[in-house]
Amino acid sequence: TEEAFALFQSRFSKHNGSSDAKVTVIFQIANEVSELDMKTDESYRLIVQEFGGAANVVITAQTFQGGRHGLETLSQLIQCEGDDCYMSSRVTITDSPKYPWRGVLLDTSRNF
């Protein structure tokens, strides 16, 4: 979990901004040591709310994999221009994979 947060923070650390806006991210994971297999629950819920000029973000997931997908979605909600970053202030996203796999690659040039 700490590694995922560190990667997330490193993406936006060069944007120091001039505003006093605060963002609090709460990461709620039920099972942080889950194995990634065909039965892994990768669903998550992301809620962004604004209270008094500060943004509160809550990412809730059953597994670390779901939480990681929530952090990726949060990074897509943040837009940076120069030193300043902007984020939507009222968002609720509930997401899960449609199929139990994320993708398959078949290299046809080497497998004919």
Side-chain angles (χ1 to χ4, degrees):
T1 306
E2 292 176 17
E3 290 177 29
F5 266 129
L7 177 62
F8 176 77
Q9 288 177 331
S10 70
R11 291 182 184 168
F12 303 104
S13 62
K14 65 181 175 184
H15 306 281
N16 51 15
S18 57
S19 70
D20 294 331
K22 287 187 111 177
V23 177
T24 303
V25 178
I26 300 169
F27 207 50
Q28 299 174 336
I29 306 297
N31 183 6
E32 290 188 27
V33 277
S34 61
E35 298 273 329
L36 183 59
D37 59 22
M38 295 293 274
K39 296 179 183 175
T40 302
D41 182 0
E42 296 183 64
S43 63
Y44 66 91
R45 182 176 193 131
L46 173 99
I47 300 172
V48 180
Q49 296 175 328
E50 184 179 356
F51 297 106
N56 292 330
V57 179
V58 179
I59 299 172
T60 306
Q62 291 298 314
T63 62
F64 168 75
Q65 290 82 4
R68 188 187 60 213
H69 293 308
L71 277 176
E72 287 297 324
T73 300
L74 178 60
S75 70
Q76 294 171 13
L77 295 174
I78 300 171
Q79 299 296 317
C80 295
E81 297 176 9
D83 285 343
D84 295 319
C85 292
Y86 308 94
M87 181 176 67
S88 300
S89 61
R90 292 185 192 106
V91 176
T92 299
I93 297 173
T94 302
D95 189 25
S96 63
K98 185 173 184 178
Y99 302 104
W101 63 88
R102 285 280 174 180
V104 175
L105 171 67
L106 176 62
D107 186 352
T108 56
S109 67
R110 295 189 183 123
N111 296 297
F112 51 91

